[in-house]
Amino acid sequence: MVRIALFSLLFVQAAFGLTLNKRNTAFFAPSAGGGSQLNNANDGAGEPLNVIISGLSSPAVLTDDGILNFARAIGFSTECLGIHLGDPQSANLGDGNGWVNQTMELREDYGDAGLGTCLESAIGGNHFRVYRQNGPTANSGALFLAVSQEKDESNNHDIVDNGYNVGRDALVQSAVGNTNFGGVSYTTTEQDISGLMAAGADGVNHGIATDGIVKLLTVTIN
């Protein structure tokens, strides 16, 4: 794994004259455009956007259908019977779009892309929200994911202890390497990004601390 400090990414953008309206970069730091690496969880705090699908991934992966198929390749699918409980959460990715509601929410499917998320709704598991960085001032096309491991229905799907780090790492472990679904094969690589958000629990939903690391995934269709 390669750890890339945020200042290094910003230096590369400046040194090579990269503009913020072209999809020629992995992502743009939300804070550079007045955004945040925490979403708005509707209670005064936010969930960390702790995984980014790079804008340098295969373009088809970055579409709604594309991220759904990739998610199914790594063990996630749409919500049980298409029913969503709870209000959507918004994020400001610093791209000029302001605060925008999640594009979708996907849940661990326990090996069954059709009905497995019904089991996740009952017993808990991993899940993530998707946000797309495509505004007029920072159009990377990257997908920012808020990933967390949650408790079962009887515990109101609260986040487990260390659930943001745990959920992030479980998703990455499932994704890295070679995966496939629906006749599409993927190769995924990972990098650790530091400097996008502070470690700790300040401003984080449920007061659950994170290690401050964001995982950058580059997904290539073979």
Side-chain angles (χ1 to χ4, degrees), residues 1-13 26-27 54 56 190-197 212-216 218:
M1 296 185 295
V2 179
R3 179 161 292 184
I4 302 176
L6 174 60
F7 72 84
S8 297
L9 292 172
L10 296 177
F11 172 80
V12 169
Q13 292 171 11
F27 67 92
S54 169
L56 300 179
E190 179 266 335
Q191 295 176 324
D192 283 358
I193 308 295
S194 61
L196 287 175
M197 62 182 180
I213 301 298
V214 175
K215 302 286 187 175
L216 178 68
T218 303

Side-chain angles (χ1 to χ4, degrees), residues 155-167:
N155 286 287
N156 301 312
H157 291 157
D158 287 344
I159 306 302
V160 305
D161 294 343
N162 197 32
Y164 297 117
N165 292 338
V166 169

Side-chain angles (χ1 to χ4, degrees), residues 161-217:
D161 294 343
N162 197 32
Y164 297 117
N165 292 338
V166 169
R168 175 203 63 196
D169 292 348
L171 182 147
V172 170
Q173 184 177 16
S174 296
V176 170
N178 298 314
T179 55
N180 66 84
F181 186 86
V184 182
S185 297
Y186 306 94
T187 298
T188 302
T189 59
E190 179 266 335
Q191 295 176 324
D192 283 358
I193 308 295
S194 61
L196 287 175
M197 62 182 180
D202 188 26
V204 180
N205 202 29
H206 304 295
I208 297 173
T210 77
D211 59 13
I213 301 298
V214 175
K215 302 286 187 175
L216 178 68
L217 301 181

